[in-house]
Amino acid sequence: MRMLAALALGMVGFLAPQGVRADPSEPRRIDCPASAGQRTRCVSGQDANGAWYVAAIPANWNRRLIVHAHGGPRLGAPEATDPLEDLDRFSVMVRHGYAWIGSSYRRGGYGVRMAAEDTDNSRQVFWSLYGRPERTLLHGQSWGGNVAAKASELYAGSADTGWNYDGVLITNGVVSGGTRAYGFRADLRAVYQYYCANHPAPDEPAYPLWQGLPLGNRMTRAELRRRIETCTGVDRPANRRTPDQAARLRDILAVTGIAEAQLVSHMNWATFLFQDMVLLRLEGRNPFDNSTTVYSGSMDDAALNAGVQRFEADPQGVALLAHDADLTGQIARPTLTVHALHDPTVSADLEALYAATVSAAGRSEWLVQAFTDESEHSKLSDATYMTALDALESWIDRGVPPDPAGLQSRCQVLWSRQGPCLFVGP
């Protein structure tokens, strides 16, 4: 009973909306990104929970709708223009006839269930404004892949009540669920602090590293970057780093497996996202554990393992995060995931965890996973997206799952004008 009460209390942090509106606002016409096409019509509004949405309807609408779940999470207060960035990034879909709608979510910060609800609310908004399309597809990118997978589990509908979504596309998604997605960044904070000892600095109040940053701390991203640069020289050419900087950088990267170009961004997440997740959404409970982790790859693993800050997870913190962000694998609609093999932000290895989750739920028939020889996280080749959509629609039409081994040839025949075809065989 105490665990259930803690879950109920903690979910307030995940779900409580900010600036809730009594009624949704009337949509207004706005300028579309130029990338969406000259004759595309765009509207913007706010749903009943205060989330901003942008919808785009091309002149050549094929009566298909893409409901988009964006990544992040973005930590600032949502603004009306936020979904325009996502529309621009995935505008190839609109140029080829798909209507599109994306939500800002009702507040910034972590909360997968909240974001999944807001994503499905945007679907309902579109249906209420323009009628039910012939087909509705759910797309999630990055953290939005976690959101889309959760939305698919919660809001897909059923054969008895009717299906809200006909298919799901997840690209470079955080499909491992929340409790298995962020531990490497907690390790990064511990390893970084062992070598650099400046986050926090010796003259600053100490705090557990799993908190990210105490509430009220005024550190900026620029200041964090300055500290990382001071310790490792990461922003300067290798030949301009001091021997100590080079040695520290080498050990941090070797132990954590993080690429040099992504060190600052991962430290940002391990600072500002952790602050939001732990202190605002988990009531200060720690979901991370390195108490038994054996770090290796440094010049002196014994000293590192003896001196690194250790922490144990709070079971209630893990349970709260799992309830919000972990996945059950209970999918019932055709689901295609595509992941860049060299994704520097969300490892393609997470796909195996999702496949195991879906298999354990007895739903593997609904999942197909594909990979591309790409190294960007936030944006894949336009040809990748269109090939994936084409394959997903064919699956829905014919009832036969696509063969990942055939996606490269499908791309080359149908979509190579949109960009490089980079699918790789299983």
Side-chain angles (χ1 to χ4, degrees):
M1 292 298 294
R2 293 178 62 187
M3 178 68 78
L4 291 175
L7 281 168
L9 176 63
M11 287 313 297
V12 173
F14 281 116
L15 297 175
Q18 296 179 355
V20 175
R21 301 176 61 89
D23 297 296
S25 65
E26 289 294 321
R28 62 182 182 87
R29 287 288 297 270
I30 61 170
D31 291 334
C32 297
S35 59
Q38 289 185 348
R39 298 173 59 201
T40 298
R41 178 164 45 102
C42 289
V43 300
S44 174
Q46 239 177 335
D47 71 14
N49 290 321
W52 292 98
Y53 64 84
V54 167
I57 306 91
N60 61 336
W61 185 21
N62 61 10
R63 304 302 299 176
R64 267 70 166 153
L65 170 65
I66 304 290
V67 178
H68 179 70
H70 75 72
R74 296 164 181 161
L75 300 181
E79 298 182 3
T81 56
D82 286 347
L84 288 172
E85 174 187 343
D86 307 305
L87 173 56
D88 179 57
R89 185 177 303 165
F90 303 105
S91 59
V92 66
M93 302 174 182
V94 179
R95 294 197 302 274
H96 284 86
Y98 290 89
W100 185 97
I101 191 165
S103 170
S104 69
Y105 312 145
R106 72 190 69 176
R107 60 159 173 77
Y110 200 83
V112 172
R113 284 179 176 263
M114 171 206 70
E117 181 182 9
D118 290 342
T119 297
D120 190 60
N121 285 344
S122 71
R123 173 194 62 80
Q124 297 178 59
V125 166
F126 189 96
W127 284 17
S128 70
L129 291 175
Y130 303 107
R132 180 169 183 163
E134 294 176 3
R135 182 165 290 168
T136 299
L137 304 173
L138 178 60
H139 173 226
Q141 171 94 10
S142 185
W143 181 66
N146 194 169
V147 174
K150 178 69 77 173
S152 177
E153 293 179 357
L154 296 176
Y155 303 113
S158 69
D160 294 332
T161 63
W163 297 108
N164 295 323
Y165 298 100
D166 298 288
V168 182
L169 173 63
I170 297 173
T171 51
N172 283 358
V174 185
V175 288
S176 61
T179 60
R180 296 188 291 184
Y182 303 101
F184 78 100
R185 288 179 176 143
D187 288 329
L188 172 61
R189 281 300 305 271
V191 171
Y192 175 89
Q193 186 66 5
Y194 171 80
Y195 287 108
C196 296
N198 66 1
H199 184 35
D203 60 348
E204 294 175 319
Y207 58 87
L209 299 177
W210 48 263
Q211 289 185 352
L213 196 68
L215 293 176
N217 189 298
R218 296 182 177 275
M219 174 178 280
T220 63
R221 290 174 183 263
E223 169 59 17
L224 176 56
R225 186 173 201 117
R226 185 195 67 77
R227 295 187 189 200
I228 299 170
E229 159 63 18
T230 298
C231 176
T232 67
V234 71
D235 283 338
R236 68 188 69 180
N239 60 6
R240 293 185 56 197
R241 293 170 188 152
T242 69
D244 285 346
Q245 287 175 327
R248 288 190 290 261
L249 180 61
R250 182 255 172 222
D251 276 2
I252 291 169
L253 300 181
V255 172
T256 63
I258 289 171
E260 180 179 317
Q262 275 69 50
L263 175 60
V264 173
S265 64
H266 282 301
M267 283 291 290
N268 275 320
W269 290 116
T271 299
F272 304 107
L273 175 62
F274 281 15
Q275 179 190 51
D276 175 271
M277 177 191 291
V278 173
L279 298 179
L280 297 181
R281 316 303 164 196
L282 297 178
E283 301 291 329
R285 299 182 180 96
N286 173 27
F288 307 117
D289 196 313
N290 75 341
S291 59
T292 61
T293 300
V294 178
Y295 296 106
S296 62
S298 74
M299 298 299 292
D300 189 342
D301 289 345
L304 170 61
N305 282 284
V308 72
Q309 185 180 126
R310 300 288 181 175
F311 35 83
E312 294 186 17
D314 180 336
Q316 291 184 353
V318 175
L320 285 168
L321 183 57
H323 177 74
D324 179 69
D326 279 1
L327 300 170
T328 67
Q330 295 285 341
I331 58 176
R333 308 309 288 147
T335 301
L336 175 60
T337 70
V338 181
H339 214 120
L341 281 177
H342 315 294
D343 185 338
T345 301
V346 177
S347 172
D349 292 343
L350 299 191
E351 296 291 339
L353 299 177
Y354 188 49
T357 299
V358 173
S359 176
R363 301 298 179 92
S364 295
E365 66 187 290
W366 296 111
L367 178 66
V368 170
Q369 295 178 295
F371 298 89
T372 64
D373 187 19
E374 298 182 73
S375 57
E376 295 296 325
H377 170 69
S378 297
K379 177 72 167 66
L380 299 175
S381 166
D382 280 350
T384 295
Y385 293 119
M386 294 312 301
T387 303
L389 281 174
D390 181 59
L392 181 59
E393 291 235 51
S394 179
W395 183 1
I396 297 166
D397 288 335
R398 298 168 52 229
V400 179
D403 180 0
L407 292 179
Q408 178 67 3
S409 60
R410 180 192 290 262
C411 181
Q412 290 171 333
V413 170
L414 299 174
W415 298 107
S416 59
R417 291 185 179 181
Q418 303 307 312
C421 293
L422 299 165
F423 287 93
V424 297

mmCIF file with all atom_site columns, all heavy atoms in Angstrom, residues 183-201:
data_model
loop_
_atom_site.group_PDB
_atom_site.id
_atom_site.type_symbol
_atom_site.label_atom_id
_atom_site.label_alt_id
_atom_site.label_comp_id
_atom_site.label_asym_id
_atom_site.label_entity_id
_atom_site.label_seq_id
_atom_site.pdbx_PDB_ins_code
_atom_site.Cartn_x
_atom_site.Cartn_y
_atom_site.Cartn_z
_atom_site.occupancy
_atom_site.B_iso_or_equiv
_atom_site.pdbx_formal_charge
_atom_site.auth_seq_id
_atom_site.auth_comp_id
_atom_site.auth_asym_id
_atom_site.auth_atom_id
_atom_site.pdbx_PDB_model_num
ATOM 1   N N   . GLY A 1 183 ? 20.799 5.331  -17.530 1.00 0.00 ? 183 GLY A N   1
ATOM 2   C CA  . GLY A 1 183 ? 21.844 4.934  -16.600 1.00 0.00 ? 183 GLY A CA  1
ATOM 3   C C   . GLY A 1 183 ? 23.237 5.296  -17.077 1.00 0.00 ? 183 GLY A C   1
ATOM 4   O O   . GLY A 1 183 ? 24.111 5.638  -16.271 1.00 0.00 ? 183 GLY A O   1
ATOM 5   N N   . PHE A 1 184 ? 23.466 5.246  -18.392 1.00 0.00 ? 184 PHE A N   1
ATOM 6   C CA  . PHE A 1 184 ? 24.806 5.573  -18.895 1.00 0.00 ? 184 PHE A CA  1
ATOM 7   C C   . PHE A 1 184 ? 25.158 7.024  -18.631 1.00 0.00 ? 184 PHE A C   1
ATOM 8   O O   . PHE A 1 184 ? 26.330 7.374  -18.478 1.00 0.00 ? 184 PHE A O   1
ATOM 9   C CB  . PHE A 1 184 ? 24.911 5.236  -20.388 1.00 0.00 ? 184 PHE A CB  1
ATOM 10  C CG  . PHE A 1 184 ? 24.268 6.229  -21.322 1.00 0.00 ? 184 PHE A CG  1
ATOM 11  C CD1 . PHE A 1 184 ? 25.035 7.174  -21.983 1.00 0.00 ? 184 PHE A CD1 1
ATOM 12  C CD2 . PHE A 1 184 ? 22.898 6.202  -21.547 1.00 0.00 ? 184 PHE A CD2 1
ATOM 13  C CE1 . PHE A 1 184 ? 24.454 8.086  -22.860 1.00 0.00 ? 184 PHE A CE1 1
ATOM 14  C CE2 . PHE A 1 184 ? 22.306 7.101  -22.425 1.00 0.00 ? 184 PHE A CE2 1
ATOM 15  C CZ  . PHE A 1 184 ? 23.085 8.052  -23.075 1.00 0.00 ? 184 PHE A CZ  1
ATOM 16  N N   . ARG A 1 185 ? 24.129 7.895  -18.576 1.00 0.00 ? 185 ARG A N   1
ATOM 17  C CA  . ARG A 1 185 ? 24.410 9.298  -18.265 1.00 0.00 ? 185 ARG A CA  1
ATOM 18  C C   . ARG A 1 185 ? 24.683 9.487  -16.775 1.00 0.00 ? 185 ARG A C   1
ATOM 19  O O   . ARG A 1 185 ? 25.473 10.362 -16.398 1.00 0.00 ? 185 ARG A O   1
ATOM 20  C CB  . ARG A 1 185 ? 23.256 10.178 -18.729 1.00 0.00 ? 185 ARG A CB  1
ATOM 21  C CG  . ARG A 1 185 ? 23.195 10.303 -20.254 1.00 0.00 ? 185 ARG A CG  1
ATOM 22  C CD  . ARG A 1 185 ? 22.039 11.146 -20.711 1.00 0.00 ? 185 ARG A CD  1
ATOM 23  N NE  . ARG A 1 185 ? 22.053 11.328 -22.163 1.00 0.00 ? 185 ARG A NE  1
ATOM 24  C CZ  . ARG A 1 185 ? 20.967 11.357 -22.919 1.00 0.00 ? 185 ARG A CZ  1
ATOM 25  N NH1 . ARG A 1 185 ? 19.773 11.219 -22.367 1.00 0.00 ? 185 ARG A NH1 1
ATOM 26  N NH2 . ARG A 1 185 ? 21.059 11.529 -24.224 1.00 0.00 ? 185 ARG A NH2 1
ATOM 27  N N   . ALA A 1 186 ? 24.046 8.699  -15.933 1.00 0.00 ? 186 ALA A N   1
ATOM 28  C CA  . ALA A 1 186 ? 24.404 8.738  -14.506 1.00 0.00 ? 186 ALA A CA  1
ATOM 29  C C   . ALA A 1 186 ? 25.838 8.269  -14.314 1.00 0.00 ? 186 ALA A C   1
ATOM 30  O O   . ALA A 1 186 ? 26.599 8.834  -13.515 1.00 0.00 ? 186 ALA A O   1
ATOM 31  C CB  . ALA A 1 186 ? 23.437 7.868  -13.703 1.00 0.00 ? 186 ALA A CB  1
ATOM 32  N N   . ASP A 1 187 ? 26.237 7.232  -15.058 1.00 0.00 ? 187 ASP A N   1
ATOM 33  C CA  . ASP A 1 187 ? 27.634 6.796  -15.023 1.00 0.00 ? 187 ASP A CA  1
ATOM 34  C C   . ASP A 1 187 ? 28.559 7.913  -15.495 1.00 0.00 ? 187 ASP A C   1
ATOM 35  O O   . ASP A 1 187 ? 29.646 8.124  -14.921 1.00 0.00 ? 187 ASP A O   1
ATOM 36  C CB  . ASP A 1 187 ? 27.823 5.566  -15.911 1.00 0.00 ? 187 ASP A CB  1
ATOM 37  C CG  . ASP A 1 187 ? 27.208 4.309  -15.337 1.00 0.00 ? 187 ASP A CG  1
ATOM 38  O OD1 . ASP A 1 187 ? 27.162 4.190  -14.098 1.00 0.00 ? 187 ASP A OD1 1
ATOM 39  O OD2 . ASP A 1 187 ? 26.766 3.451  -16.123 1.00 0.00 ? 187 ASP A OD2 1
ATOM 40  N N   . LEU A 1 188 ? 28.143 8.618  -16.527 1.00 0.00 ? 188 LEU A N   1
ATOM 41  C CA  . LEU A 1 188 ? 28.961 9.725  -17.037 1.00 0.00 ? 188 LEU A CA  1
ATOM 42  C C   . LEU A 1 188 ? 29.181 10.779 -15.959 1.00 0.00 ? 188 LEU A C   1
ATOM 43  O O   . LEU A 1 188 ? 30.311 11.270 -15.785 1.00 0.00 ? 188 LEU A O   1
ATOM 44  C CB  . LEU A 1 188 ? 28.293 10.350 -18.259 1.00 0.00 ? 188 LEU A CB  1
ATOM 45  C CG  . LEU A 1 188 ? 28.932 11.640 -18.794 1.00 0.00 ? 188 LEU A CG  1
ATOM 46  C CD1 . LEU A 1 188 ? 30.371 11.400 -19.234 1.00 0.00 ? 188 LEU A CD1 1
ATOM 47  C CD2 . LEU A 1 188 ? 28.099 12.208 -19.946 1.00 0.00 ? 188 LEU A CD2 1
ATOM 48  N N   . ARG A 1 189 ? 28.127 11.144 -15.236 1.00 0.00 ? 189 ARG A N   1
ATOM 49  C CA  . ARG A 1 189 ? 28.291 12.153 -14.182 1.00 0.00 ? 189 ARG A CA  1
ATOM 50  C C   . ARG A 1 189 ? 29.297 11.689 -13.148 1.00 0.00 ? 189 ARG A C   1
ATOM 51  O O   . ARG A 1 189 ? 30.144 12.463 -12.674 1.00 0.00 ? 189 ARG A O   1
ATOM 52  C CB  . ARG A 1 189 ? 26.947 12.449 -13.505 1.00 0.00 ? 189 ARG A CB  1
ATOM 53  C CG  . ARG A 1 189 ? 26.018 13.382 -14.272 1.00 0.00 ? 189 ARG A CG  1
ATOM 54  C CD  . ARG A 1 189 ? 26.612 14.759 -14.532 1.00 0.00 ? 189 ARG A CD  1
ATOM 55  N NE  . ARG A 1 189 ? 27.060 15.447 -13.329 1.00 0.00 ? 189 ARG A NE  1
ATOM 56  C CZ  . ARG A 1 189 ? 26.305 16.227 -12.581 1.00 0.00 ? 189 ARG A CZ  1
ATOM 57  N NH1 . ARG A 1 189 ? 25.033 16.427 -12.898 1.00 0.00 ? 189 ARG A NH1 1
ATOM 58  N NH2 . ARG A 1 189 ? 26.798 16.842 -11.534 1.00 0.00 ? 189 ARG A NH2 1
ATOM 59  N N   . ALA A 1 190 ? 29.210 10.409 -12.757 1.00 0.00 ? 190 ALA A N   1
ATOM 60  C CA  . ALA A 1 190 ? 30.125 9.904  -11.737 1.00 0.00 ? 190 ALA A CA  1
ATOM 61  C C   . ALA A 1 190 ? 31.557 9.864  -12.248 1.00 0.00 ? 190 ALA A C   1
ATOM 62  O O   . ALA A 1 190 ? 32.492 10.284 -11.547 1.00 0.00 ? 190 ALA A O   1
ATOM 63  C CB  . ALA A 1 190 ? 29.677 8.507  -11.291 1.00 0.00 ? 190 ALA A CB  1
ATOM 64  N N   . VAL A 1 191 ? 31.740 9.365  -13.470 1.00 0.00 ? 191 VAL A N   1
ATOM 65  C CA  . VAL A 1 191 ? 33.091 9.260  -14.029 1.00 0.00 ? 191 VAL A CA  1
ATOM 66  C C   . VAL A 1 191 ? 33.673 10.645 -14.277 1.00 0.00 ? 191 VAL A C   1
ATOM 67  O O   . VAL A 1 191 ? 34.841 10.919 -13.965 1.00 0.00 ? 191 VAL A O   1
ATOM 68  C CB  . VAL A 1 191 ? 33.069 8.416  -15.318 1.00 0.00 ? 191 VAL A CB  1
ATOM 69  C CG1 . VAL A 1 191 ? 34.410 8.472  -16.029 1.00 0.00 ? 191 VAL A CG1 1
ATOM 70  C CG2 . VAL A 1 191 ? 32.689 6.970  -14.990 1.00 0.00 ? 191 VAL A CG2 1
ATOM 71  N N   . TYR A 1 192 ? 32.868 11.538 -14.841 1.00 0.00 ? 192 TYR A N   1
ATOM 72  C CA  . TYR A 1 192 ? 33.346 12.902 -15.092 1.00 0.00 ? 192 TYR A CA  1
ATOM 73  C C   . TYR A 1 192 ? 33.791 13.561 -13.792 1.00 0.00 ? 192 TYR A C   1
ATOM 74  O O   . TYR A 1 192 ? 34.856 14.186 -13.726 1.00 0.00 ? 192 TYR A O   1
ATOM 75  C CB  . TYR A 1 192 ? 32.246 13.731 -15.755 1.00 0.00 ? 192 TYR A CB  1
ATOM 76  C CG  . TYR A 1 192 ? 32.635 15.185 -15.921 1.00 0.00 ? 192 TYR A CG  1
ATOM 77  C CD1 . TYR A 1 192 ? 33.300 15.612 -17.067 1.00 0.00 ? 192 TYR A CD1 1
ATOM 78  C CD2 . TYR A 1 192 ? 32.372 16.128 -14.927 1.00 0.00 ? 192 TYR A CD2 1
ATOM 79  C CE1 . TYR A 1 192 ? 33.683 16.934 -17.221 1.00 0.00 ? 192 TYR A CE1 1
ATOM 80  C CE2 . TYR A 1 192 ? 32.759 17.452 -15.065 1.00 0.00 ? 192 TYR A CE2 1
ATOM 81  C CZ  . TYR A 1 192 ? 33.416 17.848 -16.213 1.00 0.00 ? 192 TYR A CZ  1
ATOM 82  O OH  . TYR A 1 192 ? 33.808 19.160 -16.355 1.00 0.00 ? 192 TYR A OH  1
ATOM 83  N N   . GLN A 1 193 ? 32.996 13.432 -12.748 1.00 0.00 ? 193 GLN A N   1
ATOM 84  C CA  . GLN A 1 193 ? 33.342 14.102 -11.494 1.00 0.00 ? 193 GLN A CA  1
ATOM 85  C C   . GLN A 1 193 ? 34.604 13.527 -10.882 1.00 0.00 ? 193 GLN A C   1
ATOM 86  O O   . GLN A 1 193 ? 35.393 14.257 -10.270 1.00 0.00 ? 193 GLN A O   1
ATOM 87  C CB  . GLN A 1 193 ? 32.168 14.011 -10.514 1.00 0.00 ? 193 GLN A CB  1
ATOM 88  C CG  . GLN A 1 193 ? 32.351 14.807 -9.226  1.00 0.00 ? 193 GLN A CG  1
ATOM 89  C CD  . GLN A 1 193 ? 32.395 16.318 -9.453  1.00 0.00 ? 193 GLN A CD  1
ATOM 90  O OE1 . GLN A 1 193 ? 32.190 16.800 -10.566 1.00 0.00 ? 193 GLN A OE1 1
ATOM 91  N NE2 . GLN A 1 193 ? 32.656 17.065 -8.395  1.00 0.00 ? 193 GLN A NE2 1
ATOM 92  N N   . TYR A 1 194 ? 34.817 12.239 -11.058 1.00 0.00 ? 194 TYR A N   1
ATOM 93  C CA  . TYR A 1 194 ? 36.044 11.636 -10.541 1.00 0.00 ? 194 TYR A CA  1
ATOM 94  C C   . TYR A 1 194 ? 37.270 12.295 -11.175 1.00 0.00 ? 194 TYR A C   1
ATOM 95  O O   . TYR A 1 194 ? 38.250 12.610 -10.481 1.00 0.00 ? 194 TYR A O   1
ATOM 96  C CB  . TYR A 1 194 ? 36.053 10.136 -10.813 1.00 0.00 ? 194 TYR A CB  1
ATOM 97  C CG  . TYR A 1 194 ? 37.383 9.486  -10.507 1.00 0.00 ? 194 TYR A CG  1
ATOM 98  C CD1 . TYR A 1 194 ? 37.734 9.171  -9.193  1.00 0.00 ? 194 TYR A CD1 1
ATOM 99  C CD2 . TYR A 1 194 ? 38.300 9.216  -11.526 1.00 0.00 ? 194 TYR A CD2 1
ATOM 100 C CE1 . TYR A 1 194 ? 38.975 8.596  -8.914  1.00 0.00 ? 194 TYR A CE1 1
ATOM 101 C CE2 . TYR A 1 194 ? 39.537 8.635  -11.252 1.00 0.00 ? 194 TYR A CE2 1
ATOM 102 C CZ  . TYR A 1 194 ? 39.861 8.335  -9.941  1.00 0.00 ? 194 TYR A CZ  1
ATOM 103 O OH  . TYR A 1 194 ? 41.090 7.770  -9.656  1.00 0.00 ? 194 TYR A OH  1
ATOM 104 N N   . TYR A 1 195 ? 37.215 12.521 -12.478 1.00 0.00 ? 195 TYR A N   1
ATOM 105 C CA  . TYR A 1 195 ? 38.372 13.068 -13.171 1.00 0.00 ? 195 TYR A CA  1
ATOM 106 C C   . TYR A 1 195 ? 38.447 14.592 -13.105 1.00 0.00 ? 195 TYR A C   1
ATOM 107 O O   . TYR A 1 195 ? 39.552 15.148 -13.058 1.00 0.00 ? 195 TYR A O   1
ATOM 108 C CB  . TYR A 1 195 ? 38.363 12.626 -14.638 1.00 0.00 ? 195 TYR A CB  1
ATOM 109 C CG  . TYR A 1 195 ? 38.720 11.182 -14.822 1.00 0.00 ? 195 TYR A CG  1
ATOM 110 C CD1 . TYR A 1 195 ? 37.754 10.254 -15.178 1.00 0.00 ? 195 TYR A CD1 1
ATOM 111 C CD2 . TYR A 1 195 ? 40.021 10.737 -14.608 1.00 0.00 ? 195 TYR A CD2 1
ATOM 112 C CE1 . TYR A 1 195 ? 38.071 8.916  -15.339 1.00 0.00 ? 195 TYR A CE1 1
ATOM 113 C CE2 . TYR A 1 195 ? 40.345 9.392  -14.758 1.00 0.00 ? 195 TYR A CE2 1
ATOM 114 C CZ  . TYR A 1 195 ? 39.363 8.495  -15.117 1.00 0.00 ? 195 TYR A CZ  1
ATOM 115 O OH  . TYR A 1 195 ? 39.682 7.169  -15.256 1.00 0.00 ? 195 TYR A OH  1
ATOM 116 N N   . CYS A 1 196 ? 37.305 15.260 -13.094 1.00 0.00 ? 196 CYS A N   1
ATOM 117 C CA  . CYS A 1 196 ? 37.304 16.721 -13.237 1.00 0.00 ? 196 CYS A CA  1
ATOM 118 C C   . CYS A 1 196 ? 37.011 17.474 -11.949 1.00 0.00 ? 196 CYS A C   1
ATOM 119 O O   . CYS A 1 196 ? 37.487 18.602 -11.766 1.00 0.00 ? 196 CYS A O   1
ATOM 120 C CB  . CYS A 1 196 ? 36.299 17.136 -14.313 1.00 0.00 ? 196 CYS A CB  1
ATOM 121 S SG  . CYS A 1 196 ? 36.719 16.525 -15.968 1.00 0.00 ? 196 CYS A SG  1
ATOM 122 N N   . ALA A 1 197 ? 36.202 16.921 -11.082 1.00 0.00 ? 197 ALA A N   1
ATOM 123 C CA  . ALA A 1 197 ? 35.912 17.507 -9.758  1.00 0.00 ? 197 ALA A CA  1
ATOM 124 C C   . ALA A 1 197 ? 35.481 18.967 -9.845  1.00 0.00 ? 197 ALA A C   1
ATOM 125 O O   . ALA A 1 197 ? 35.789 19.754 -8.948  1.00 0.00 ? 197 ALA A O   1
ATOM 126 C CB  . ALA A 1 197 ? 37.131 17.363 -8.846  1.00 0.00 ? 197 ALA A CB  1
ATOM 127 N N   . ASN A 1 198 ? 34.756 19.330 -10.913 1.00 0.00 ? 198 ASN A N   1
ATOM 128 C CA  . ASN A 1 198 ? 34.312 20.723 -11.014 1.00 0.00 ? 198 ASN A CA  1
ATOM 129 C C   . ASN A 1 198 ? 32.815 20.862 -11.285 1.00 0.00 ? 198 ASN A C   1
ATOM 130 O O   . ASN A 1 198 ? 32.338 21.926 -11.636 1.00 0.00 ? 198 ASN A O   1
ATOM 131 C CB  . ASN A 1 198 ? 35.109 21.463 -12.099 1.00 0.00 ? 198 ASN A CB  1
ATOM 132 C CG  . ASN A 1 198 ? 34.845 20.947 -13.508 1.00 0.00 ? 198 ASN A CG  1
ATOM 133 O OD1 . ASN A 1 198 ? 34.060 20.036 -13.726 1.00 0.00 ? 198 ASN A OD1 1
ATOM 134 N ND2 . ASN A 1 198 ? 35.542 21.551 -14.477 1.00 0.00 ? 198 ASN A ND2 1
ATOM 135 N N   . HIS A 1 199 ? 32.066 19.770 -11.080 1.00 0.00 ? 199 HIS A N   1
ATOM 136 C CA  . HIS A 1 199 ? 30.615 19.820 -11.309 1.00 0.00 ? 199 HIS A CA  1
ATOM 137 C C   . HIS A 1 199 ? 29.914 18.901 -10.318 1.00 0.00 ? 199 HIS A C   1
ATOM 138 O O   . HIS A 1 199 ? 29.497 17.813 -10.672 1.00 0.00 ? 199 HIS A O   1
ATOM 139 C CB  . HIS A 1 199 ? 30.313 19.403 -12.749 1.00 0.00 ? 199 HIS A CB  1
ATOM 140 C CG  . HIS A 1 199 ? 28.863 19.519 -13.124 1.00 0.00 ? 199 HIS A CG  1
ATOM 141 N ND1 . HIS A 1 199 ? 28.038 20.505 -12.647 1.00 0.00 ? 199 HIS A ND1 1
ATOM 142 C CD2 . HIS A 1 199 ? 28.094 18.754 -13.956 1.00 0.00 ? 199 HIS A CD2 1
ATOM 143 C CE1 . HIS A 1 199 ? 26.824 20.345 -13.160 1.00 0.00 ? 199 HIS A CE1 1
ATOM 144 N NE2 . HIS A 1 199 ? 26.842 19.298 -13.954 1.00 0.00 ? 199 HIS A NE2 1
ATOM 145 N N   . PRO A 1 200 ? 29.843 19.327 -9.015  1.00 0.00 ? 200 PRO A N   1
ATOM 146 C CA  . PRO A 1 200 ? 30.136 20.651 -8.485  1.00 0.00 ? 200 PRO A CA  1
ATOM 147 C C   . PRO A 1 200 ? 31.632 20.855 -8.215  1.00 0.00 ? 200 PRO A C   1
ATOM 148 O O   . PRO A 1 200 ? 32.390 19.894 -8.050  1.00 0.00 ? 200 PRO A O   1
ATOM 149 C CB  . PRO A 1 200 ? 29.354 20.666 -7.163  1.00 0.00 ? 200 PRO A CB  1
ATOM 150 C CG  . PRO A 1 200 ? 29.341 19.220 -6.735  1.00 0.00 ? 200 PRO A CG  1
ATOM 151 C CD  . PRO A 1 200 ? 29.226 18.430 -8.009  1.00 0.00 ? 200 PRO A CD  1
ATOM 152 N N   . ALA A 1 201 ? 32.007 22.133 -8.147  1.00 0.00 ? 201 ALA A N   1
ATOM 153 C CA  . ALA A 1 201 ? 33.378 22.496 -7.839  1.00 0.00 ? 201 ALA A CA  1
ATOM 154 C C   . ALA A 1 201 ? 33.631 22.357 -6.336  1.00 0.00 ? 201 ALA A C   1
ATOM 155 O O   . ALA A 1 201 ? 32.689 22.331 -5.533  1.00 0.00 ? 201 ALA A O   1
ATOM 156 C CB  . ALA A 1 201 ? 33.641 23.936 -8.293  1.00 0.00 ? 201 ALA A CB  1
#
